Amino acid sequence: MNNILFFFSCLCAFFGVAVLFLTGILNAVMPMVGKAVFQAAMSGSYSPDDYVMDVTFINSSAVFLIGAGGYSAYLIYKKGMLEK
């Protein structure tokens, strides 16, 4: 049972890292996509700040997932070492 819990704890931490990675990529790419769309439409004025997303809550949730997953994996690992 501990192996399954350890796997899901590590998976939780990995999911948090993946979310941080994806939000970083999206914040870097979206202003470029916005500029391309603006140039295709030729309307209004372009500002890169209009295309930067606020992902503060998502990033803080991902950091919480990394911390909780890492801590629970550590506890499960230590408990498994004590049982042997």
Side-chain angles (χ1 to χ4, degrees):
M1 183 68 178
N2 283 340
N3 290 341
I4 296 171
L5 292 175
F6 182 77
F7 172 75
F8 281 115
S9 296
C10 291
L11 187 66
C12 182
F14 178 75
F15 182 68
V17 170
V19 167
L20 286 177
F21 182 71
L22 288 174
T23 56
I25 288 175
L26 285 176
N27 271 335
V29 170
M30 287 308 288
M32 290 184 266
V33 172
K35 186 174 184 179
V37 170
F38 167 73
Q39 288 175 346
M42 290 293 188
S43 61
S45 62
Y46 171 75
S47 172
D49 296 331
D50 294 338
Y51 296 96
V52 175
M53 298 178 293
D54 182 25
V55 290
T56 307
F57 178 73
I58 295 170
N59 284 346
S60 59
S61 299
V63 169
F64 175 75
L65 279 175
I66 293 168
Y71 183 69
S72 61
Y74 171 75
L75 290 178
I76 292 167
Y77 179 75
K78 288 301 259 184
K79 182 180 177 186
M81 293 299 288
L82 292 175
E83 290 176 355
K84 291 183 179 181

